[in-house]
Amino acid sequence: DAALQRFLAPFGVLPITETQVWRAARIDADLTMNGQTIGAADTWIAAAALESDLPVLTQNTGHFTRISGVQVIGYSILP
């Protein structure tokens, strides 16, 4: 537990706001209507990024590029 807290200490935790909840619901509904669901976790990440005006750093750029306005930074750990 202490090791996890030390690891996470440099990272901020974004609060969940009512606006974010509605944005996540809208993202999920829009993607579902288009047959492009990305899963609940990625939906929440996208909503948080949009509400906070922060980019998403991910190996799974395909999920986040489906959402208008999300700044996506892709990376790979493979050469």
Side-chain angles (χ1 to χ4, degrees):
D1 195 33
L4 179 60
Q5 287 181 352
R6 280 192 308 276
F7 173 77
L8 294 176
F11 304 100
V13 176
L14 299 174
I16 296 175
T17 65
E18 183 177 349
T19 305
Q20 182 183 331
V21 171
W22 285 107
R23 188 180 289 253
R26 172 51 50 204
I27 291 168
D28 186 61
D30 290 345
L31 292 173
T32 298
M33 285 190 325
N34 292 316
Q36 297 183 334
T37 58
I38 62 172
D42 286 352
T43 300
W44 279 102
I45 292 167
L50 287 167
E51 285 300 309
S52 303
D53 196 30
L54 293 169
V56 174
L57 177 66
T58 181
Q59 287 184 287
N60 190 354
T61 58
H63 275 186
F64 296 99
T65 55
R66 298 176 194 176
I67 304 164
S68 177
V70 173
Q71 303 167 50
V72 180
I73 300 171
Y75 77 95
S76 175
I77 57 171
L78 301 176

